[in-house]
Amino acid sequence: MKVFKAVDKIILKIEEFILSYAVIIIALMVVGKALSRALFSYSPPFADEVSQIAIVVATFMGISYAARKGRHISMSAFYDLAPFKVRKFLSILIPFGTAAVLFVLAYYSSLYVQDVYESGRVTSALEMPAYYLYIFIPIGFLLGGIQFLRNMWINITNRDEVYLGTDVKDYNDEDTNDLEGTHL
Amino acid sequence: ACGGGEESSGDNGGDGQTYNWKFVTEEVEGQVQYEYAQEFAKRMNEKSDGAVNIDVYEFGGLGSETNQVEQLQSGTVEMAVMSPGFTGNMVKEGQIFALQFLFPESVEKTQNILNDSEALNTDLRELYEEHSISPLSFWSEGAMQWTASKEISEPADFENFKMRTQTSPLILKSYEAYGADPTPMSWSELYTALDRGTVEGQENPIFFIGDASFNEVQDYMTMSNHNNYVAMTTVNTDWYAGLDEEMKTMVDETVTEMQDWVFEEQKKQNEEYLETIKNDTENPTEIVELSDEQREAFKEKAEPVRDFYRSEVSTVDGKVLDKLIEEINAAE
Amino acid sequence: MIATMLIIMVVLLFLNFPMMIPLMAAPLVIMFIYFPTLDPMILMQQFSTGIEPYVLLAVPLFIFAADIMTTGKTSNRLLDFIGSFIGHIRGGYAVTTAAACTLFGAISGSTQATVVAIGKPMRERLLKIGYKDPSAIALIINSSDVALLVPPSIGMIIYGLVSGTSVGDLFIAGIIPGIIVFISFAVYSIIYAKMADIPLAGKASWSERWTMTRKAVLPLGFPIVVIGGIYTGLFSPTEAAGVSVLYAFILEVFIYRSVHIKELPKIARSTGLVTSAVFVLVAGGQAFTWVISFARIPQMITETVLGTDPSAIYVLLMVTLFFFIGCMFVDPIVVILILTPIFYPAAMSAGIDPVHLGVVITFQAALGSATPPFGVDIFTASAVFNKPYLEVIKGTPPYILILFAISGLLIFFDELSLFLL
Ligand code: NA
Ligand code: NA
């Protein structure tokens, strides 16, 4: 159990690190390119490509982090109206179904990465192997799937409450809206 | 009917067999590639008495140009018009068409070389076939021109000039050779960037310049003919190999006869848009013609870039290029 | 096939599955059932293609800038400054929000970026003075739509290329419809403020106003740098988003010292979280689009609907209807790219002016980004404000009605688009 928690903590730290620095890198690249062009009439050709890699990385590596924080967007209209027991049932079914779909997506996207690997395609500016970029897609789906399984598990083990993510309880059962706390 | 899922080809089913193919292009309705594919589809349908039905896809719905290349490779679509620029990061030799002042100034002469070149139709084709792409023909969509906020008629005019380009190192080198500052800029921001002077110039064939309204935000267009926007008619290699002989012959014949058709089509479109641009008095654009000496001055600067191609781009030490240069010299 | 897709979508959505699941699973299932010979791998490339367009980078950057400014002092100083001038006027804050969204939308060209950059600070202020969340968010989402109508509009640039229409003419033609939308929203905001009895602040004295202005001098440099930079060509609209991060950073970290540089990764992480939640949907939407396009569903439907020789009004009504439906599921820019070529020939033979058609289409696309169930602005608002989906869309009906009314005007009076040309 202790090992498990330690691993979880390490993964969390890695996810946080990747999300933070992907955003900071995008900012650096976009600003850097504009400043460099204005001041030195030089446009670093790699800037756009690095930003685009960072956005793909942030998007897919963010899947599990957003799942942990219960921040994936869903159309909760009917769910919000449902009684506790229904929500409890759904809180087990939905993460399970979501995890299943994400694992299927991880499988097919890893096939895609393999395909790009075999094609030998490189990126246009940096001329680095293109699969470096795409490999974050299956990893993101895989970690996301694992996190949704954990979201399911916490709802199975805790009978009295509904969790939207391992770190967040259902806002429908909260007296006050302290959701803001999760943002920032 | 869902437009797909029917038996397409492979084994010959004898009489009454129908063929449903997908043909994807990098351009939209009205533009050269799309019109080409439509005409191709029409001719194949007529020749086969309705047995061959080709659905033509314009750019947009099926993703980016790179995606379309992958879709051809995987056999998701059977045919594609693609420009070698978008496969240049896989089949490096294909970047050959980005070299400036390599082909003759005349598009007609260039097209004849594209038709007959062994370097392209045999050697380059083989390199593509390693990636399941068979280029059946190469054709020009028109010569590339420079549009700019100031007059560009000699290399010195490019000094400290922000030229919007693609990001490939070869293209960057080509403009650095004139002393320009190549500036990568996404297509969707280009109109605004030209309007505000964030970048000062760009290159494209005339029909595209007119279609994208770049002449509205540029004051000069230099008839540089510095290279051609070359497109290839491509098919999935395995699919093509699996066609029965009769069908393969029909495809090959149509590809060949389309060469003249597309030459006339691009000529018509580029001439019409040139008139439109000249007649747009609200957004006047001065047309700059280059003298032979001026062309020569650009060519002198552009030639050393071929060495960069040979050493840094080519995977066969520039063999395709050297053979092509011989063929060009023989034709001129 | 359409039915299968819709059933999967609707069932999964109503069960409260994360929205990325129906968007990503539906195309996959369609591949399995209807295109069994194809490799489903091909859908995977679409995920990254969907989020690669360079202009989308403006979204995380404006979120980042807004996060830095709201953590620090910049946004409060700006809002206090505005409040000291309009706080005592009925509906003043709401009209200011609409105006700020219109202006910023025009500059950034991105509806999502506007939702974040203007919406984030303005929403907090609107809540503080007594607005209910759904009405505040609805105001922000819908005012941001104008971004697609006023130059430099990405929607119009794309329409211009696809149809060969002059982009300059389109830009000019979008101005009057843009102003009509703003005025309608302003009038509605004032009426709403009266009906909901939103309390007014006391009128600030000129000396108070002077104090607020002095405090806001540096923050006011922010819009000047961003707008000035774009109009002088110093940087592109997307780069302006990056420059706004730099400006916020310098102001908060070095001048006000209200944000410590060590807090930056934490702020960036919050930005990354929101970006991911929105962009997985954009990625899924692209795969969804691919399957629909591959199966040629748009062509099939429009051929049946348009028939032969339709009248101009009928074509425009169908354009409106199809763009509205299309934008329910897919990003508006993608819808323009796919549907324009399908409707364009029929519109031309019915004698519709291509510029007028462009304005109607762009207007519909703008409306589409704010209409449920698939609306990138709704997703962005839901993610940024951390509000359940229903809460976000609850207040939108009056705005959608207003926009529909204007859309009717645009269809019947082409002078509204063509007048300035
Ligand atoms: Na001009
Ligand atoms: Na929508």
Side-chain angles (χ1 to χ4, degrees), chain C residues 319-350:
Chain C
V319 164
T320 305
L321 183 69
F322 274 85
F323 272 76
F324 184 72
I325 296 174
C327 291
M328 283 179 143
F329 302 103
V330 182
D331 185 74
I333 298 296
V334 179
V335 178
I336 294 180
L337 204 52
I338 294 172
L339 286 189
T340 301
I342 298 175
F343 279 103
Y344 190 79
M348 290 308 105
S349 56

mmCIF file of all heavy atoms in Angstrom, chain C residues 319-350:
data_model
loop_
_atom_site.group_PDB
_atom_site.id
_atom_site.type_symbol
_atom_site.label_atom_id
_atom_site.label_comp_id
_atom_site.label_asym_id
_atom_site.label_seq_id
_atom_site.Cartn_x
_atom_site.Cartn_y
_atom_site.Cartn_z
ATOM 1 N N VAL C 319 -28.710 27.335 -45.125
ATOM 2 C CA VAL C 319 -27.351 27.602 -44.635
ATOM 3 C C VAL C 319 -27.395 27.814 -43.126
ATOM 4 O O VAL C 319 -26.647 27.204 -42.352
ATOM 5 C CB VAL C 319 -26.755 28.851 -45.327
ATOM 6 C CG1 VAL C 319 -25.531 29.363 -44.574
ATOM 7 C CG2 VAL C 319 -26.393 28.531 -46.769
ATOM 8 N N THR C 320 -28.337 28.656 -42.701
ATOM 9 C CA THR C 320 -28.485 28.945 -41.273
ATOM 10 C C THR C 320 -28.747 27.670 -40.488
ATOM 11 O O THR C 320 -28.082 27.388 -39.495
ATOM 12 C CB THR C 320 -29.659 29.926 -41.069
ATOM 13 O OG1 THR C 320 -29.410 31.067 -41.884
ATOM 14 C CG2 THR C 320 -29.774 30.348 -39.628
ATOM 15 N N LEU C 321 -29.708 26.892 -40.981
ATOM 16 C CA LEU C 321 -30.088 25.670 -40.279
ATOM 17 C C LEU C 321 -28.904 24.694 -40.183
ATOM 18 O O LEU C 321 -28.606 24.158 -39.121
ATOM 19 C CB LEU C 321 -31.258 25.009 -41.019
ATOM 20 C CG LEU C 321 -31.811 23.744 -40.368
ATOM 21 C CD1 LEU C 321 -32.525 24.096 -39.074
ATOM 22 C CD2 LEU C 321 -32.774 23.018 -41.314
ATOM 23 N N PHE C 322 -28.209 24.496 -41.319
ATOM 24 C CA PHE C 322 -27.136 23.499 -41.331
ATOM 25 C C PHE C 322 -25.917 23.936 -40.530
ATOM 26 O O PHE C 322 -25.276 23.126 -39.879
ATOM 27 C CB PHE C 322 -26.749 23.148 -42.770
ATOM 28 C CG PHE C 322 -27.609 22.071 -43.317
ATOM 29 C CD1 PHE C 322 -28.835 22.377 -43.897
ATOM 30 C CD2 PHE C 322 -27.252 20.746 -43.194
ATOM 31 C CE1 PHE C 322 -29.661 21.382 -44.363
ATOM 32 C CE2 PHE C 322 -28.072 19.739 -43.659
ATOM 33 C CZ PHE C 322 -29.276 20.056 -44.248
ATOM 34 N N PHE C 323 -25.616 25.214 -40.595
ATOM 35 C CA PHE C 323 -24.490 25.675 -39.785
ATOM 36 C C PHE C 323 -24.841 25.588 -38.308
ATOM 37 O O PHE C 323 -24.006 25.248 -37.477
ATOM 38 C CB PHE C 323 -24.082 27.102 -40.163
ATOM 39 C CG PHE C 323 -23.093 27.129 -41.280
ATOM 40 C CD1 PHE C 323 -23.489 26.909 -42.581
ATOM 41 C CD2 PHE C 323 -21.742 27.324 -41.035
ATOM 42 C CE1 PHE C 323 -22.586 26.893 -43.617
ATOM 43 C CE2 PHE C 323 -20.817 27.311 -42.059
ATOM 44 C CZ PHE C 323 -21.245 27.098 -43.354
ATOM 45 N N PHE C 324 -26.106 25.863 -37.995
ATOM 46 C CA PHE C 324 -26.530 25.756 -36.602
ATOM 47 C C PHE C 324 -26.383 24.313 -36.112
ATOM 48 O O PHE C 324 -25.795 24.055 -35.055
ATOM 49 C CB PHE C 324 -27.973 26.235 -36.457
ATOM 50 C CG PHE C 324 -28.448 26.231 -35.035
ATOM 51 C CD1 PHE C 324 -27.978 27.180 -34.135
ATOM 52 C CD2 PHE C 324 -29.339 25.276 -34.581
ATOM 53 C CE1 PHE C 324 -28.401 27.170 -32.819
ATOM 54 C CE2 PHE C 324 -29.758 25.262 -33.260
ATOM 55 C CZ PHE C 324 -29.291 26.216 -32.379
ATOM 56 N N ILE C 325 -26.891 23.378 -36.908
ATOM 57 C CA ILE C 325 -26.799 21.964 -36.512
ATOM 58 C C ILE C 325 -25.338 21.510 -36.490
ATOM 59 O O ILE C 325 -24.886 20.870 -35.548
ATOM 60 C CB ILE C 325 -27.624 21.068 -37.462
ATOM 61 C CG1 ILE C 325 -29.098 21.430 -37.337
ATOM 62 C CG2 ILE C 325 -27.410 19.591 -37.135
ATOM 63 C CD1 ILE C 325 -29.995 20.715 -38.324
ATOM 64 N N GLY C 326 -24.598 21.877 -37.535
ATOM 65 C CA GLY C 326 -23.185 21.480 -37.610
ATOM 66 C C GLY C 326 -22.417 21.955 -36.398
ATOM 67 O O GLY C 326 -21.636 21.204 -35.798
ATOM 68 N N CYS C 327 -22.667 23.215 -36.019
ATOM 69 C CA CYS C 327 -21.932 23.792 -34.885
ATOM 70 C C CYS C 327 -22.368 23.194 -33.561
ATOM 71 O O CYS C 327 -21.764 23.456 -32.529
ATOM 72 C CB CYS C 327 -22.101 25.305 -34.861
ATOM 73 S SG CYS C 327 -21.273 26.112 -36.219
ATOM 74 N N MET C 328 -23.456 22.422 -33.589
ATOM 75 C CA MET C 328 -23.834 21.741 -32.351
ATOM 76 C C MET C 328 -22.815 20.651 -32.013
ATOM 77 O O MET C 328 -22.688 20.244 -30.872
ATOM 78 C CB MET C 328 -25.207 21.088 -32.506
ATOM 79 C CG MET C 328 -26.345 22.076 -32.412
ATOM 80 S SD MET C 328 -27.907 21.216 -32.632
ATOM 81 C CE MET C 328 -28.916 22.112 -31.485
ATOM 82 N N PHE C 329 -22.128 20.145 -33.035
ATOM 83 C CA PHE C 329 -21.242 19.006 -32.795
ATOM 84 C C PHE C 329 -19.774 19.279 -33.049
ATOM 85 O O PHE C 329 -18.914 18.545 -32.584
ATOM 86 C CB PHE C 329 -21.683 17.812 -33.658
ATOM 87 C CG PHE C 329 -23.085 17.394 -33.395
ATOM 88 C CD1 PHE C 329 -24.098 17.742 -34.275
ATOM 89 C CD2 PHE C 329 -23.404 16.700 -32.243
ATOM 90 C CE1 PHE C 329 -25.411 17.381 -34.011
ATOM 91 C CE2 PHE C 329 -24.708 16.333 -31.976
ATOM 92 C CZ PHE C 329 -25.716 16.674 -32.861
ATOM 93 N N VAL C 330 -19.482 20.295 -33.858
ATOM 94 C CA VAL C 330 -18.110 20.486 -34.306
ATOM 95 C C VAL C 330 -17.719 21.952 -34.170
ATOM 96 O O VAL C 330 -18.581 22.825 -34.129
ATOM 97 C CB VAL C 330 -17.963 20.025 -35.781
ATOM 98 C CG1 VAL C 330 -16.552 20.161 -36.256
ATOM 99 C CG2 VAL C 330 -18.435 18.589 -35.951
ATOM 100 N N ASP C 331 -16.433 22.188 -34.117
ATOM 101 C CA ASP C 331 -15.918 23.549 -34.026
ATOM 102 C C ASP C 331 -16.345 24.389 -35.242
ATOM 103 O O ASP C 331 -16.275 23.929 -36.370
ATOM 104 C CB ASP C 331 -14.387 23.484 -33.965
ATOM 105 C CG ASP C 331 -13.796 24.861 -33.751
ATOM 106 O OD1 ASP C 331 -13.906 25.352 -32.621
ATOM 107 O OD2 ASP C 331 -13.252 25.428 -34.708
ATOM 108 N N PRO C 332 -16.790 25.631 -34.998
ATOM 109 C CA PRO C 332 -17.309 26.469 -36.086
ATOM 110 C C PRO C 332 -16.354 26.636 -37.275
ATOM 111 O O PRO C 332 -16.805 26.639 -38.421
ATOM 112 C CB PRO C 332 -17.531 27.823 -35.414
ATOM 113 C CG PRO C 332 -17.611 27.555 -33.972
ATOM 114 C CD PRO C 332 -16.877 26.295 -33.695
ATOM 115 N N ILE C 333 -15.070 26.767 -36.999
ATOM 116 C CA ILE C 333 -14.111 26.970 -38.088
ATOM 117 C C ILE C 333 -14.105 25.748 -39.012
ATOM 118 O O ILE C 333 -14.068 25.861 -40.236
ATOM 119 C CB ILE C 333 -12.697 27.205 -37.516
ATOM 120 C CG1 ILE C 333 -12.672 28.470 -36.650
ATOM 121 C CG2 ILE C 333 -11.678 27.300 -38.626
ATOM 122 C CD1 ILE C 333 -12.943 29.736 -37.393
ATOM 123 N N VAL C 334 -14.176 24.568 -38.406
ATOM 124 C CA VAL C 334 -14.200 23.333 -39.185
ATOM 125 C C VAL C 334 -15.484 23.265 -40.007
ATOM 126 O O VAL C 334 -15.494 22.832 -41.168
ATOM 127 C CB VAL C 334 -14.075 22.110 -38.254
ATOM 128 C CG1 VAL C 334 -14.134 20.822 -39.041
ATOM 129 C CG2 VAL C 334 -12.794 22.191 -37.446
ATOM 130 N N VAL C 335 -16.581 23.720 -39.406
ATOM 131 C CA VAL C 335 -17.862 23.706 -40.114
ATOM 132 C C VAL C 335 -17.793 24.614 -41.346
ATOM 133 O O VAL C 335 -18.268 24.261 -42.425
ATOM 134 C CB VAL C 335 -19.014 24.135 -39.177
ATOM 135 C CG1 VAL C 335 -20.331 24.153 -39.934
ATOM 136 C CG2 VAL C 335 -19.115 23.182 -37.998
ATOM 137 N N ILE C 336 -17.173 25.781 -41.194
ATOM 138 C CA ILE C 336 -17.034 26.691 -42.348
ATOM 139 C C ILE C 336 -16.264 25.983 -43.461
ATOM 140 O O ILE C 336 -16.659 26.009 -44.625
ATOM 141 C CB ILE C 336 -16.282 27.984 -41.945
ATOM 142 C CG1 ILE C 336 -17.108 28.792 -40.944
ATOM 143 C CG2 ILE C 336 -15.992 28.846 -43.186
ATOM 144 C CD1 ILE C 336 -16.447 30.077 -40.489
ATOM 145 N N LEU C 337 -15.199 25.333 -43.078
ATOM 146 C CA LEU C 337 -14.343 24.665 -44.054
ATOM 147 C C LEU C 337 -15.106 23.567 -44.809
ATOM 148 O O LEU C 337 -14.926 23.385 -46.016
ATOM 149 C CB LEU C 337 -13.145 24.068 -43.302
ATOM 150 C CG LEU C 337 -11.862 23.814 -44.061
ATOM 151 C CD1 LEU C 337 -11.430 25.055 -44.788
ATOM 152 C CD2 LEU C 337 -10.766 23.386 -43.085
ATOM 153 N N ILE C 338 -15.956 22.855 -44.115
ATOM 154 C CA ILE C 338 -16.621 21.710 -44.738
ATOM 155 C C ILE C 338 -17.918 22.092 -45.457
ATOM 156 O O ILE C 338 -18.179 21.631 -46.565
ATOM 157 C CB ILE C 338 -16.914 20.633 -43.672
ATOM 158 C CG1 ILE C 338 -15.591 20.069 -43.165
ATOM 159 C CG2 ILE C 338 -17.777 19.515 -44.231
ATOM 160 C CD1 ILE C 338 -15.751 19.151 -41.987
ATOM 161 N N LEU C 339 -18.723 22.957 -44.836
ATOM 162 C CA LEU C 339 -20.048 23.220 -45.420
ATOM 163 C C LEU C 339 -20.037 24.297 -46.505
ATOM 164 O O LEU C 339 -20.864 24.270 -47.413
ATOM 165 C CB LEU C 339 -21.049 23.592 -44.319
ATOM 166 C CG LEU C 339 -21.532 22.457 -43.423
ATOM 167 C CD1 LEU C 339 -22.674 22.932 -42.536
ATOM 168 C CD2 LEU C 339 -22.004 21.258 -44.246
ATOM 169 N N THR C 340 -19.102 25.255 -46.416
ATOM 170 C CA THR C 340 -19.105 26.338 -47.405
ATOM 171 C C THR C 340 -19.085 25.817 -48.845
ATOM 172 O O THR C 340 -19.930 26.212 -49.653
ATOM 173 C CB THR C 340 -17.927 27.301 -47.166
ATOM 174 O OG1 THR C 340 -18.052 27.843 -45.857
ATOM 175 C CG2 THR C 340 -17.933 28.427 -48.183
ATOM 176 N N PRO C 341 -18.149 24.924 -49.192
ATOM 177 C CA PRO C 341 -18.116 24.480 -50.590
ATOM 178 C C PRO C 341 -19.374 23.746 -51.011
ATOM 179 O O PRO C 341 -19.713 23.729 -52.190
ATOM 180 C CB PRO C 341 -16.918 23.516 -50.629
ATOM 181 C CG PRO C 341 -16.299 23.523 -49.294
ATOM 182 C CD PRO C 341 -17.103 24.331 -48.357
ATOM 183 N N ILE C 342 -20.087 23.194 -50.052
ATOM 184 C CA ILE C 342 -21.295 22.451 -50.407
ATOM 185 C C ILE C 342 -22.441 23.412 -50.753
ATOM 186 O O ILE C 342 -23.200 23.191 -51.680
ATOM 187 C CB ILE C 342 -21.702 21.525 -49.246
ATOM 188 C CG1 ILE C 342 -20.579 20.508 -49.002
ATOM 189 C CG2 ILE C 342 -22.997 20.802 -49.553
ATOM 190 C CD1 ILE C 342 -20.814 19.621 -47.809
ATOM 191 N N PHE C 343 -22.535 24.515 -50.006
ATOM 192 C CA PHE C 343 -23.641 25.448 -50.231
ATOM 193 C C PHE C 343 -23.321 26.514 -51.282
ATOM 194 O O PHE C 343 -24.213 27.075 -51.889
ATOM 195 C CB PHE C 343 -24.023 26.143 -48.917
ATOM 196 C CG PHE C 343 -24.894 25.310 -48.037
ATOM 197 C CD1 PHE C 343 -24.385 24.666 -46.929
ATOM 198 C CD2 PHE C 343 -26.241 25.153 -48.334
ATOM 199 C CE1 PHE C 343 -25.191 23.885 -46.119
ATOM 200 C CE2 PHE C 343 -27.060 24.386 -47.541
ATOM 201 C CZ PHE C 343 -26.539 23.749 -46.430
ATOM 202 N N TYR C 344 -22.018 26.786 -51.453
ATOM 203 C CA TYR C 344 -21.622 27.921 -52.275
ATOM 204 C C TYR C 344 -22.203 27.892 -53.697
ATOM 205 O O TYR C 344 -22.804 28.881 -54.134
ATOM 206 C CB TYR C 344 -20.095 28.021 -52.306
ATOM 207 C CG TYR C 344 -19.581 29.283 -52.930
ATOM 208 C CD1 TYR C 344 -19.558 30.482 -52.219
ATOM 209 C CD2 TYR C 344 -19.118 29.286 -54.243
ATOM 210 C CE1 TYR C 344 -19.097 31.645 -52.795
ATOM 211 C CE2 TYR C 344 -18.651 30.442 -54.828
ATOM 212 C CZ TYR C 344 -18.631 31.618 -54.107
ATOM 213 O OH TYR C 344 -18.182 32.768 -54.683
ATOM 214 N N PRO C 345 -22.065 26.759 -54.438
ATOM 215 C CA PRO C 345 -22.589 26.762 -55.812
ATOM 216 C C PRO C 345 -24.094 27.053 -55.876
ATOM 217 O O PRO C 345 -24.528 27.871 -56.694
ATOM 218 C CB PRO C 345 -22.294 25.326 -56.294
ATOM 219 C CG PRO C 345 -21.241 24.811 -55.389
ATOM 220 C CD PRO C 345 -21.434 25.486 -54.083
ATOM 221 N N ALA C 346 -24.862 26.439 -54.985
ATOM 222 C CA ALA C 346 -26.310 26.670 -54.978
ATOM 223 C C ALA C 346 -26.610 28.136 -54.677
ATOM 224 O O ALA C 346 -27.495 28.743 -55.280
ATOM 225 C CB ALA C 346 -26.975 25.775 -53.936
ATOM 226 N N ALA C 347 -25.844 28.705 -53.743
ATOM 227 C CA ALA C 347 -26.067 30.105 -53.370
ATOM 228 C C ALA C 347 -25.778 31.022 -54.561
ATOM 229 O O ALA C 347 -26.501 31.986 -54.811
ATOM 230 C CB ALA C 347 -25.189 30.470 -52.180
ATOM 231 N N MET C 348 -24.708 30.716 -55.310
ATOM 232 C CA MET C 348 -24.357 31.563 -56.432
ATOM 233 C C MET C 348 -25.420 31.489 -57.522
ATOM 234 O O MET C 348 -25.823 32.500 -58.082
ATOM 235 C CB MET C 348 -22.988 31.165 -57.018
ATOM 236 C CG MET C 348 -21.801 31.486 -56.123
ATOM 237 S SD MET C 348 -21.754 33.193 -55.551
ATOM 238 C CE MET C 348 -22.261 32.993 -53.839
ATOM 239 N N SER C 349 -25.907 30.277 -57.796
ATOM 240 C CA SER C 349 -26.911 30.183 -58.860
ATOM 241 C C SER C 349 -28.235 30.792 -58.409
ATOM 242 O O SER C 349 -29.059 31.157 -59.244
ATOM 243 C CB SER C 349 -27.079 28.743 -59.351
ATOM 244 O OG SER C 349 -27.397 27.895 -58.294
ATOM 245 N N ALA C 350 -28.427 30.935 -57.093
ATOM 246 C CA ALA C 350 -29.643 31.604 -56.615
ATOM 247 C C ALA C 350 -29.442 33.119 -56.567
ATOM 248 O O ALA C 350 -30.338 33.856 -56.166
ATOM 249 C CB ALA C 350 -30.029 31.079 -55.236
#
